[in-house]
Amino acid sequence: MNRVAVVTGGSRGIGRAVALRLAADGQAVVIAYAHASDAAEAVVAEIEGKGGQAVAVRADVADEAAVATLFDTAEQRFGGVDVVVHAAGVMVLAPVAELDLDALDRMHRTNVRGTFVVGREAARRVRRGGAIVNFSTSVTRLSLPTYAGYAASKAAVEAISPILAKELRGRDVTVNAVAPGPTATDLFLDGKDEATVERMAKMNPMERLGTPEDIAEVVSSLAGPARWVNGQTIYVNGGAA
């Protein structure tokens, strides 16, 4: 029986790389996207072009009805759900004194409520031997100025994940969070000048930005063979302190 993965935020950036990697690992992939339908369908076409199975579904991760439909689609098309990778997220950067509270609410809705909504559905439906992988950020440790709102929303993910892991006792389902460091995606690069990007690339001893594929490699392990890693936050940042 082939494994089936649901990947939120799977149309772009790290989510796209994760969807492609899991498909290469032999999993059927359900790609959830918020707005970028063309990008999501392009990922589906790339997976199918390589002999894999995929479908794209529009879903607001904070909307419980939409997320239920997302999981329904996975079960109807591919027979069930084994892996859930919740990579969808919103990032707005500003100092605490200047952060627009509407932007804070938007981050909270997607990053915190979305993790609860997706996690709740995953807890109900993921089959034995499955895995749930949420996304945090290394900024929860790096404490970079302007990242307070975003880091706070992702710190909630780090609190939720190990508790859900314990709540799934006896199910043989792992729950972990992945916390990338600075990674070369549109979300990260947007609005940053070359000097800022270079400075952040030098924060780790590897002296480069991460790539989406670096992150997808770790997710691939957590979604498959790494059965003894559970309730953890894995910092994937090249050694940035």
Side-chain angles (χ1 to χ4, degrees):
M1 180 179 67
N2 288 342
R3 286 166 75 83
V4 179
V6 172
V7 181
T8 71
S11 63
R12 295 176 174 173
I14 292 172
R16 175 183 179 275
V18 167
L20 292 172
R21 175 59 186 264
L22 295 182
D25 291 343
Q27 300 202 36
V29 183
V30 180
I31 297 164
Y33 67 94
H35 305 293
S37 59
D38 289 349
E41 292 297 345
V43 180
V44 170
E46 185 170 350
I47 290 171
E48 291 181 337
K50 296 176 180 177
Q53 295 178 291
V55 63
V57 179
R58 184 169 186 169
D60 174 356
V61 296
D63 181 331
E64 59 266 42
V67 171
T69 298
L70 171 66
F71 279 75
D72 288 344
T73 301
E75 291 176 346
Q76 291 160 8
R77 285 290 298 268
F78 301 122
V81 179
D82 302 286
V83 173
V84 175
V85 181
H86 180 41
V90 172
M91 181 173 70
V92 179
L93 304 182
V96 170
E98 301 170 16
L99 180 61
D100 181 87
L101 294 182
D102 287 341
L104 179 64
D105 289 344
R106 192 163 74 250
M107 284 192 286
H108 186 279
R109 186 176 189 278
T110 297
N111 299 353
V112 182
R113 178 186 167 93
T115 300
F116 269 103
V117 172
V118 173
R120 185 176 70 167
E121 209 64 39
R124 294 171 176 175
R125 305 216 205 185
V126 169
R127 296 185 287 204
R128 291 190 65 85
I132 300 168
V133 182
N134 292 319
F135 266 76
S136 180
T137 172
S138 288
V139 179
T140 56
R141 286 185 174 179
L142 298 176
S143 303
L144 300 177
T146 75
Y147 279 83
Y150 178 67
S153 71
K154 289 300 190 176
V157 175
E158 296 189 20
I160 294 165
S161 300
I163 293 173
L164 180 56
K166 290 184 177 181
E167 290 175 349
L168 295 180
R169 175 183 293 274
R171 290 270 304 278
D172 190 25
V173 173
T174 61
V175 186
N176 294 287
V178 170
T183 304
T185 64
D186 291 342
L187 181 69
F188 170 76
L189 296 172
D190 183 43
K192 294 182 174 69
D193 59 31
E194 187 174 340
T196 299
V197 172
E198 180 69 15
R199 175 175 55 80
M200 295 186 78
K202 294 292 180 65
M203 290 174 64
N204 67 77
M206 310 297 284
E207 296 191 333
R208 67 170 177 86
L209 294 179
T211 68
E213 291 73 22
D214 289 327
I215 314 305
E217 182 175 29
V218 175
V219 174
S220 171
S221 180
L222 294 173
R227 301 304 303 162
W228 201 234
V229 181
N230 193 19
Q232 307 301 310
T233 296
I234 313 298
Y235 288 84
V236 189
N237 59 25

